[in-house]
Amino acid sequence: MSETLANGMIAQLKPQKNQLDERGLLRYGKMLIDGEWVDALSGKTFESRYPGSGEVIAHVAAGDAADVDRAVKAAQRAFTDGDYRKMNGADRGRLLWNIADLMERHIEELAELETLDNGKPLVESLKVDLPQSIACFRYYAGWAGKTTGETIETNARANAFAYTLREPLGVCGQIIPWNFPIQMAAWKLAPAIACGNTVVIKPAEQTSVSLLRLGELMMEAGLPKGVVNIVTGFGETAGAALVAHPGVEKIAFTGSVEVGKLIMRHAAGTLKKVTLELGGKSPNIVFADSNLELAAKVALMGIFFNQGQMCTAGSRILIESSAREQFLEVLAGRAAKMAVGDPLDPKTRMGSLVSEEQMNRVLGYVEKGKAEGAQLLSGGGRVGTQGYFVTPTVFDNVSNDMTIAREEIFGPVASVITFNDAEEALRIANDSAFGLASAVWTTDLKKALTFARGIKAGTVWVNTYNMTDNALPFGGYKDSGFGRELGSAALDVYTQTKTVYIDLN
Ligand code: NAI
Ligand code: MG
């Protein structure tokens, strides 16, 4: 386990040509602005670490307002003239497809970088994150040039001809989190480009490396300069500057509720369009009439996948009282057997949390859970002293007013809540500030449909969990944010409608 992780993690990488710099660190550290790889104007850098061991893997440019300004100006130029303007929908579709092809050709390398950045198991980077991201680029390749306006019969006067145009917004600012670095970038970049926008994207400071490599591949795929600019750096500097910049038309953000609120407030100054994909405390409701064995198995995946660092994490598991014992036996039994391991080992299914800060936040919630009287069934501690590994944790006897049932933990901690009937289950499910995702397990069609209608959340899964799909809209109710990503819904938030009215008198 983590104690046995040898230093020199980078040395374990399958040798990739030109991946290391003269210090033996990953060479990804410069920002992509106007098609060039540049240092921050200030010359400042920050250290990027591999969570599995805590060792430094790269020195990354610490971009700030001056760099954001350069990037936004490059994106404005790319939007108004240059090669990108000459590209039609089919050209942009081909570009997105080329990006996907290049990602596929470099999938192992990208997956390794994703794991070095984030600490997630290599097998998940390789088999889940990367394939879904590649598919996302292909999905939006198909949409490029297919956003259409309408011809509409006028109402006020008969002798007129009117139609609408769907036009791109211009420069879009995209601020992404560290939990699925490449996938969150794909969800935002692909629809923005499909619709003909240009982009300034800021990765999370914990995970810059994989996006910088993706930037190289995008340029290799034929992306004209300035269409996608990557500014690395911290939220309070680079992120805040992007939100405040008058040349940016829209901010798409995924992250914490706290920063989401801040962004909305600061975007008001320049009246930017904003879409926010924030946290969750999603209920996973299991009725006694369901396949309990399967429900328990999937519930574990629903909370422990990606070490629980998921906005959709099924962190409140609601079990019907009559099935409680049977369900918990499977759940706790399997959770106890789930071992954390070296993220780079292909056999590992649970890796490291992203940072020491995140690990301490999660362990703090475990302490709160115990102090407030929840019963710890399994896990609850750190593993080793190197890296940020936390054992899969299950709390039973949780009541919905405890802190561990109300606040997003963003770690491998499940809170099991017992209910007696459907009415109580629905009440508990909706008694939350969040409304991102939810699931209901039942073989009773009426119950399933009643819950699908009754739950206040952007997604309701029935007899499954965590099935996002590039074709299906994704986003939040309540404090989980607004605006939808993926599907054709994302085209709405990356275009605006123009009305053309022609007087025929
Ligand atoms: P965060 O919201 O601070 O960071 C997310 C992104 O926002 C990063 O790129 C960061 O640099 C940027 N950012 C931070 N402050 C900013 C500002 N003032 N202006 C503009 N951009 C800013 O999230 P953090 O601190 O990494 O994690 C804290 C908690 O947030 C987690 O424990 C989790 O509960 C939640 N979270 C939720 C995510 C989701 O997928 N919905 C993703 C990441 C975090
Ligand atoms: Mg933060």
Side-chain angles (χ1 to χ4, degrees), residues 49-52 54 117-119 178 205-207 309 352-363 382 387-390 410:
R49 287 170 188 278
Y50 170 54
D117 253 349
N118 170 279
W178 43 259
E205 53 271 30
Q206 296 86 346
T207 55
Q309 301 165 130
S352 170
L353 298 190
V354 74
S355 64
E356 188 169 9
E357 184 191 0
Q358 193 61 22
M359 177 186 72
N360 289 335
R361 185 179 288 150
V362 170
L363 293 175
R382 181 181 186 180
Y388 317 117
F389 299 86
V390 174
F410 228 62

Side-chain angles (χ1 to χ4, degrees), residues 176-178 202 205 235 253 256 262 278 311 358 361 408 410:
I176 58 169
W178 43 259
K202 192 199 87 62
E205 53 271 30
F253 171 75
S256 62
L262 205 69
L278 310 175
C311 46
Q358 193 61 22
R361 185 179 288 150
E408 179 170 58
F410 228 62

Side-chain angles (χ1 to χ4, degrees), residues 90-345:
D91 297 330
R92 292 196 307 278
R94 197 154 39 234
L95 171 65
L96 290 169
W97 200 273
N98 286 346
I99 292 171
D101 282 351
L102 268 179
M103 288 173 79
E104 200 157 57
R105 211 170 308 150
H106 294 270
I107 192 166
E108 290 194 357
E109 177 192 347
L110 287 167
E112 276 176 348
L113 292 177
E114 193 77 331
T115 288
L116 285 175
D117 253 349
N118 170 279
K120 65 177 71 197
L122 183 60
V123 70
E124 283 176 13
S125 299
L126 191 62
K127 302 287 182 198
V128 183
D129 295 41
L130 260 300
Q132 287 187 3
S133 306
I134 291 164
C136 182
F137 277 100
R138 294 212 171 109
Y139 175 77
Y140 284 106
W143 270 118
K146 297 193 185 74
T147 51
T148 57
E150 298 173 286
T151 44
I152 302 168
E153 189 177 337
T154 54
N155 219 335
R157 289 197 203 166
N159 209 11
F161 176 63
Y163 62 95
T164 60
L165 293 170
R166 289 278 288 288
E167 296 187 336
L169 303 174
V171 180
C172 298
Q174 305 183 330
I175 300 175
I176 58 169
W178 43 259
N179 54 342
F180 295 94
I182 286 192
Q183 204 175 347
M184 291 299 101
W187 283 22
K188 289 182 174 37
L189 290 172
I193 296 170
C195 296
N197 298 280
T198 58
V199 173
V200 178
I201 185 168
K202 192 199 87 62
E205 53 271 30
Q206 296 86 346
T207 55
S208 312
V209 163
S210 59
L211 182 61
L212 293 173
R213 180 64 183 126
L214 178 58
E216 289 183 346
L217 294 175
M218 289 195 289
M219 295 306 290
E220 199 181 322
L223 189 78
K225 65 175 188 176
V227 174
V228 173
N229 304 273
I230 306 172
V231 177
T232 48
F234 295 92
E236 297 75 11
T237 48
L242 195 54
V243 174
H245 200 293
V248 175
E249 302 295 331
K250 171 207 164 74
I251 293 287
F253 171 75
T254 300
S256 62
V257 176
E258 182 197 352
V259 174
K261 287 180 178 171
L262 205 69
I263 283 177
M264 204 172 156
R265 218 176 298 133
H266 291 164
T270 45
L271 219 66
K272 286 184 180 57
K273 295 166 184 64
V274 175
T275 48
L276 302 174
E277 200 267 275
L278 310 175
K281 196 73 203 176
S282 300
N284 184 4
I285 307 157
V286 181
F287 281 101
D289 67 15
S290 65
N291 179 340
L292 292 174
E293 178 99 19
L294 182 68
K297 243 168 77 179
V298 175
L300 291 171
M301 184 274 292
I303 178 62
F304 295 139
F305 183 74
N306 211 36
Q307 296 68 243
Q309 301 165 130
M310 282 176 301
C311 46
T312 55
S315 51
R316 290 187 298 152
I317 300 173
L318 275 56
I319 178 73
E320 187 166 13
S321 49
S322 57
R324 180 170 171 273
E325 253 161 66
Q326 200 187 335
F327 179 79
L328 278 180
E329 205 179 294
V330 185
L331 191 82
R334 280 177 166 266
K337 281 197 216 115
M338 289 175 78
V340 292
D342 175 356
L344 289 165
D345 181 339

Side-chain angles (χ1 to χ4, degrees), residues 31 33 39-44 46 61-72 200 202 231-242 245:
M31 304 185 285
I33 297 180
D39 293 316
L41 287 168
S42 69
K44 288 189 186 146
F46 63 97
D64 61 22
D67 306 291
V68 166
D69 187 55
R70 278 172 79 190
V72 172
V200 178
K202 192 199 87 62
V231 177
T232 48
F234 295 92
E236 297 75 11
T237 48
L242 195 54
H245 200 293

